[in-house]
Amino acid sequence: MGIAEPVVRESFQTEELSIFYGTYEAVKGISLPFAQNTVTALIGPSGCGKSTFLRSLNRMNDDISGSTTKGSIWIDGIDINASGTDVIKLRQKIGMVWQKPNPFYKSIYDNIAFGPKYHGVKGKQALDEIVESSLRRAALWDEVKDRLKDSALALSGGQQQRLCIARALSVNPQILLLDEPASALDPVSTGKVEELIKELKEELRIVIVTHNMQQAARISDYTAYFYLGSLVEYDKTEKVFTNPENQMTQEYIMGRFG
Amino acid sequence: MKPRTADKVATAVIVTFALLIVAILISLLGYILIRGMNHISWDFLTSAPQKIRAGGGVGPQLFNSLFLLVLTLIITVPLGLGAGIFMAEYARPGKLTNFIRLVVEVLSSFPSIIVGLFGLLLIVNTFNLGFSLISGALALTFFNLPLMVRITEQAFRTVPKQQKEAGFALGLSKWKIVTSVLLPVALPTIITGTILSAGRVFGEAAALMFTAGMSSPRLDFSNWNPLSPSSPLNPFRPAETLAVHIWKVNSEGLAPDALQIAAGASAVLVLTVLIFNLAARYFGRFIYRKLTASKRMN
Amino acid sequence: MRVKSKNSRLEKHHIENLVGRIYMSFCVLLLVVIIVSMVYFVASKGIANFVNGEVKISEFLLGTKWAPEADTPSYGAFPFISGSFLVTLLAALIASPLSICAALFMTEIVPGWGKKLLQPVIELLSGIPSVVYGFVGLSVIVPFLRDTLPGQGIGVAAGALVLSVMILPTITSVAADALASLPQNLKESSFALGATRWQTISRVILPTTFPAIMTGVVLGMARAFGEALAVQMVIGNAPFIPHSLFESASTLTSVITLGMGNTTMGSPQNNALWSMALVLMLMTFVFVLLVRMLERRNKI
């Protein structure tokens, strides 16, 4: 494996993280750091465990029966994979956006205000502010500010995806997990989402799963190449894409570029 | 017979039988409505029945049917929602889930007369609630609950699972997700199913004969004190419903116009079921638009 | 649950989840309590006559004489048990071919408007209350039979006819679902071999979907067996085994319907009615079991 055991832990990192479905080991003992204000791209062929790995970072796999996790996920010195963790509170710190936009069947406004309201933000003015700032951060405000009461389902696919990003931002997460967030979008929307990711990394750390090598090269600072549940290579994106250590990484990247 | 000839004959038979079913429905509805409509008037719908003289109405029975339906839904809907949500969102595959599924299946397969008899033993006699609205409503709850559970479970299963994930990722509790994210999406289907089941409840008679009773006391429709025995709202009074009345008039009616009364009451019953069917479709769509605040979705 | 706060303080989301759990458990538990007490109450009343030696099980099940008010009362329920089976089987025999044809019409002959036409028809037929079926049976079918055939009109034939219409929707909708879920390539390969539509239906489609269609038939029979008022209104209610289809007879449900209100709770006659209710309940279990067996076969 490419990295040695770190002496000082990053404030967000995994340590020997393994995920099993029954007896099948989908993710095999992966240790990865995620630095503040960076975008880390997880790449690799389908079924290599990168999405499973991503989902485990906010313990979304808990809900799948028969899945078990070993190892640690450290956030600010606390292992959130330990059994005593309050998973629900944890998830508030870690936002997530999926491949397919999944806005709630509610108005645009309520999509954003729902989370903060639940977590105790009171008063219309405070909520209005959160809605506006979240939508602005997701570069959607100008397009929807006049129809906040409309259904979120009436938005286009690209707008819906940015709404989902705004929704994730509404509860002030420290980490944003993106699972192929642009793969279902048209090129223009994809461009907007990529632009957004670059801006958002100024405020938080982002982990993104993508099949699109150009996208990984464009937006990420670090790249991790997964193969059959193992971490094959991890380094600065520049390095991985121009001069990978591992033959397999090179072949995969070249193949995907070609 | 040659294959081609056989094919033609078979097709003709299939089409004939299928159209026969359509004809049966049309003539059934036509017969009930045409025969009954002649007898339906404002007076018929509001006045009390006569024992031996002609000219009786079905006012109290109609009121009883509607009141009983409301009572039943008030009890059934929350219970059905709870069990249905459990089956759709919480139950993990295993022995317990299979057992509950079997319970729901058996309960929904029981003949309604068995439900009525059980109501007679448990509610009327053991709980000593007598022949009353509340006994009838409880019996109808046993009758309607399994259906309500299924409606709820199926409605929740049609909600995309990404909705749940989105809720989890925001740090919501599972119960909050169920009630505030999934339920609004599932609600149109649940409401449609509930209205359809209401039609079934409205026409049910066998479960009520020995629970809500086969008589209705003289009701004073100006008395709205629910504790007074002559008040229509008193849940502890006996309450013959429209469906039970049709049966009673047919089997032991003494009034000379018994058949006309049965026809009129049948028409009212069938019309109500028709209205429920139409309302279920319309309301489902309407509420969907309302809850999702959508203008473009249909 | 695994989710616990570090300082194990009860927070909002824990309370919510707990409330939800308690509420759901209550509802599910209630379902179980209802079914258990239903079986217990009906069974304990149903076996009362046998336990206190009033009536022998064999006399009840096989005895052909129902004379509870005679000087030496006899409680033979065989006429009613056989009556229930007779009308149920007849109704299934009438309704099944019609329903299967309707299902074929919806899925194979004219899949487009056939479904649009028949779907609402089926829904409305199943929505009509059973007392209304009884009323129409009494005022249309009974006079018709009386005028065209021997007998008084009321009787087994009238009961079976009314029931057959009532179970049409059940069988049709199950059969239509089964036909619609058939893989498309199965039919195509038959057509590709030059088979006509009827050959495809009779040699490929119906044999493949047979268990599923039988599920519908069994569900329909379960409904017919348990139906009380519609049958009671047209069958005539004579406590004998009929010699022809146009003779008056009784079913378990019709005897219970008429007798339960007119007998004293706890009397042997009343308890005999509860024994019949127990037979009805046991038959429900048999029907559920049959459906489950057919469904299992259907999966393979």
Side-chain angles (χ1 to χ4, degrees):
Chain A
M1 221 168 288
I3 46 165
E5 186 74 17
V7 183
V8 181
R9 288 192 184 107
E10 274 286 345
S11 57
F12 180 32
Q13 72 164 86
T14 67
E15 195 175 320
E16 293 296 319
L17 189 68
S18 299
I19 300 157
F20 299 84
Y21 292 126
T23 53
Y24 171 69
E25 194 173 7
V27 170
K28 298 170 183 165
I30 288 181
S31 302
L32 264 183
F34 305 102
Q36 181 66 23
N37 305 117
T38 63
V39 176
T40 305
L42 311 180
I43 63 169
S46 297
C48 67
K50 57 190 190 302
S51 280
T52 308
F53 177 77
L54 186 82
R55 288 171 56 87
S56 72
L57 295 179
N58 65 345
R59 305 254 319 245
M60 286 303 253
N61 285 331
D62 284 16
D63 222 41
I64 300 170
S65 56
S67 89
T68 45
T69 317
K70 271 192 214 155
S72 306
I73 303 166
W74 296 97
I75 294 183
D76 297 333
I78 295 166
D79 178 11
I80 62 155
N81 208 31
S83 62
T85 309
D86 186 335
V87 179
I88 296 169
K89 281 193 101 170
L90 156 78
R91 288 182 181 136
Q92 202 188 330
K93 292 188 193 166
I94 309 176
M96 189 159 186
V97 175
W98 289 262
Q99 182 174 5
K100 220 179 126 207
N102 57 351
F104 294 137
Y105 287 37
K106 298 174 188 295
S107 69
I108 295 169
Y109 183 94
D110 287 341
N111 258 278
I112 311 292
F114 189 62
K117 216 190 280 178
Y118 178 75
H119 292 298
V121 176
K122 288 194 181 71
K124 190 179 179 316
Q125 205 190 340
L127 286 170
D128 284 352
E129 273 165 25
I130 291 178
V131 170
E132 180 170 348
S133 69
S134 303
L135 285 170
R136 278 192 193 282
R137 286 166 82 189
L140 190 60
W141 174 252
D142 291 333
E143 290 164 59
V144 300
K145 64 177 181 224
D146 299 323
R147 47 177 181 141
L148 292 174
K149 293 290 164 204
D150 282 11
S151 168
L153 303 177
L155 297 172
S156 73
Q159 289 173 324
Q160 286 189 10
Q161 194 62 307
R162 277 178 286 147
L163 181 72
C164 291
I165 295 174
R167 180 179 62 191
L169 295 174
S170 69
V171 290
N172 270 324
Q174 302 162 6
I175 299 152
L176 198 55
L177 308 177
L178 307 172
D179 191 356
E180 300 185 46
S183 67
L185 304 181
D186 60 273
V188 177
S189 303
T190 303
K192 283 188 181 167
V193 169
E194 284 182 11
E195 205 52 45
L196 189 56
I197 293 170
K198 280 191 216 160
E199 281 168 26
L200 287 173
K201 93 175 176 191
E202 303 302 324
E203 308 163 42
L204 30 72
R205 58 193 92 200
I206 293 172
V207 187
I208 177 171
V209 164
T210 179
H211 276 123
N212 182 330
M213 291 309 111
Q214 286 93 334
Q215 186 173 65
R218 274 196 302 270
I219 61 173
S220 70
D221 304 293
Y222 291 89
T223 296
Y225 174 64
F226 280 59
Y227 186 73
L228 293 178
S230 298
L231 180 64
V232 176
E233 184 153 359
Y234 167 78
D235 215 320
K236 289 207 149 125
T237 300
E238 240 181 72
K239 170 89 166 54
V240 173
F241 277 81
T242 52
N243 186 18
E245 300 268 317
N246 195 298
Q247 185 66 24
M248 272 159 61
T249 317
Q250 182 166 19
E251 276 166 18
Y252 177 73
I253 292 173
M254 293 310 288
R256 298 293 291 192
F257 263 116
Chain B
M1 220 179 338
K2 279 184 195 162
R4 297 247 165 259
T5 329
D7 186 52
K8 274 185 190 151
V9 172
T11 307
V13 170
I14 292 171
V15 172
T16 312
F17 277 8
L19 295 180
L20 179 65
I21 293 182
V22 180
I24 289 174
L25 176 81
I26 292 173
S27 41
L28 249 175
L29 287 182
Y31 176 81
I32 296 164
L33 294 181
I34 291 167
R35 250 204 92 171
M37 281 310 196
N38 291 329
H39 204 75
I40 296 181
S41 63
W42 183 244
D43 193 46
F44 178 71
L45 292 178
T46 52
S47 64
Q50 298 285 348
K51 282 230 163 58
I52 31 181
R53 278 188 295 127
V58 291
Q61 282 75 18
L62 188 55
F63 177 82
N64 288 342
S65 288
L66 291 170
F67 191 29
L68 202 51
L69 175 63
V70 173
L71 277 180
T72 305
L73 290 183
I74 289 175
I75 305 172
T76 320
V77 170
L79 293 174
L81 275 178
I85 290 171
F86 178 82
M87 294 307 285
E89 300 296 334
Y90 287 80
R92 304 212 159 181
K95 280 200 175 126
L96 180 71
T97 307
N98 287 344
F99 173 70
I100 300 168
R101 219 171 273 291
L102 180 69
V103 164
V104 173
E105 192 180 338
V106 169
L107 194 55
S108 69
S109 310
F110 275 145
S112 53
I113 181 121
I114 294 284
V115 175
L117 291 177
F118 169 65
L120 172 66
L121 269 185
L122 184 75
I123 307 161
V124 176
N125 291 344
T126 310
F127 292 168
N128 211 9
L129 287 169
F131 291 139
S132 63
L133 274 166
I134 192 75
S135 300
L138 288 172
L140 287 179
T141 298
F142 305 150
F143 168 80
N144 201 29
L145 190 54
L147 189 66
M148 211 51 230
V149 174
R150 275 188 198 171
I151 290 166
T152 308
E153 185 185 348
Q154 278 168 7
F156 269 85
R157 285 196 189 284
T158 60
V159 181
K161 105 176 182 302
Q162 290 85 356
Q163 290 288 315
K164 199 167 29 167
E165 291 193 325
F168 275 131
L170 278 180
L172 305 174
S173 69
K174 185 162 183 183
W175 186 245
K176 179 74 181 173
I177 295 170
V178 164
T179 52
S180 301
V181 177
L182 307 184
L183 183 61
V185 186
L187 204 56
T189 320
I190 294 176
I191 290 180
T192 310
T194 307
I195 299 178
L196 286 176
S197 82
R200 214 170 72 107
V201 168
F202 196 77
E204 178 52 35
L208 291 177
M209 295 165 62
F210 307 121
T211 51
M214 291 191 259
S215 65
S216 190
R218 197 160 279 286
L219 295 182
D220 175 5
F221 278 90
S222 59
N223 179 356
W224 296 103
N225 171 13
L227 296 176
S228 154
S230 68
S231 165
L233 290 184
N234 184 347
F236 299 104
R237 66 177 175 85
E240 182 194 41
T241 65
L242 207 54
V244 173
H245 190 61
I246 293 174
W247 179 78
K248 208 176 84 177
V249 165
N250 267 312
S251 352
E252 46 196 51
L254 294 174
D257 56 350
L259 265 185
Q260 278 89 325
I261 290 174
S266 295
V268 174
L269 214 52
V270 168
L271 271 179
T272 317
V273 172
L274 281 177
I275 291 169
F276 280 151
N277 265 284
L278 290 175
R281 276 163 216 282
Y282 177 79
F283 198 63
R285 258 177 246 165
F286 169 78
I287 196 106
Y288 185 92
R289 246 173 285 162
K290 191 100 188 160
L291 282 168
T292 60
S294 78
K295 281 174 187 159
R296 280 194 223 165
M297 300 290 290
N298 43 348
Chain C
M1 278 185 78
R2 275 167 66 198
V3 185
K4 259 188 217 142
S5 179
K6 276 271 176 230
N7 47 14
S8 77
R9 194 157 52 94
L10 264 185
E11 295 195 41
K12 182 178 158 196
H13 52 259
H14 298 130
I15 298 169
E16 279 172 359
N17 277 340
L18 193 67
V19 168
R21 285 256 166 202
I22 292 171
Y23 165 56
M24 286 183 302
S25 309
F26 172 76
C27 298
V28 171
L29 206 65
L30 193 75
L31 268 175
V32 178
V33 167
I34 289 173
I35 200 101
V36 168
S37 49
M38 240 167 143
V39 174
Y40 170 77
F41 272 89
V42 174
S44 59
K45 283 291 256 179
I47 59 169
N49 263 354
F50 311 133
V51 171
N52 63 24
E54 206 75 50
V55 185
K56 281 200 210 109
I57 294 187
S58 57
E59 188 207 332
F60 174 77
L61 288 179
L62 301 172
T64 54
K65 195 170 165 215
W66 175 257
E69 274 148 19
D71 291 338
T72 47
S74 55
Y75 301 99
F78 185 74
F80 315 136
I81 296 173
S82 61
S84 282
F85 277 102
L86 187 61
V87 287
T88 301
L89 285 173
L90 281 175
L93 280 179
I94 302 168
S96 300
L98 282 171
S99 303
I100 293 168
C101 285
L104 286 170
F105 184 79
M106 287 161 78
T107 53
E108 304 298 329
I109 311 283
V110 273
W113 61 267
K115 195 170 162 61
K116 271 199 196 115
L117 173 73
L118 277 176
Q119 191 70 39
V121 168
I122 296 301
E123 277 169 24
L124 285 174
L125 272 180
S126 74
I128 295 177
S130 59
V131 279
V132 175
Y133 277 112
F135 164 70
V136 174
L138 197 59
S139 52
V140 179
I141 293 179
V142 168
F144 173 78
L145 290 177
R146 184 167 54 215
D147 297 343
T148 52
L149 292 160
Q152 294 298 308
I154 48 174
V156 176
L161 278 174
V162 168
L163 282 178
S164 68
V165 181
M166 293 181 71
I167 66 175
L168 272 177
T170 313
I171 308 180
T172 308
S173 54
V174 176
D177 284 349
L179 292 174
S181 65
L182 210 58
Q184 193 63 32
N185 57 13
L186 205 65
K187 281 179 253 172
E188 277 161 5
S189 56
S190 171
F191 284 129
L193 291 172
T196 64
R197 182 162 59 197
W198 173 241
Q199 282 171 329
T200 308
I201 290 173
S202 61
R203 288 182 202 166
V204 180
I205 295 175
L206 289 183
T208 321
T209 50
F210 181 74
I213 293 175
M214 278 311 290
T215 310
V217 174
V218 172
L219 284 171
M221 286 171 70
R223 182 165 183 208
F225 201 86
E227 175 51 43
L229 303 187
V231 185
Q232 185 274 326
M233 285 160 88
V234 297
I235 200 164
N237 305 306
F240 310 116
I241 301 173
H243 299 292
S244 94
L245 294 183
F246 306 104
E247 257 178 47
S248 170
S250 287
T251 64
L252 292 168
T253 51
S254 72
V255 176
I256 297 172
T257 306
L258 287 178
M260 196 51 82
N262 301 325
T263 51
T264 326
M265 268 284 177
S267 66
Q269 185 181 358
N270 184 269
N271 282 341
L273 295 176
W274 285 102
S275 303
M276 292 182 210
L278 180 59
V279 173
L280 271 179
M281 187 177 251
L282 294 176
M283 276 310 293
T284 308
F285 296 144
V286 172
F287 284 126
V288 169
L289 204 69
L290 273 176
V291 167
R292 294 219 147 188
M293 279 163 61
L294 285 165
E295 274 172 351
R296 202 161 301 154
R297 260 194 69 186
N298 199 26
K299 270 182 204 142
I300 300 164

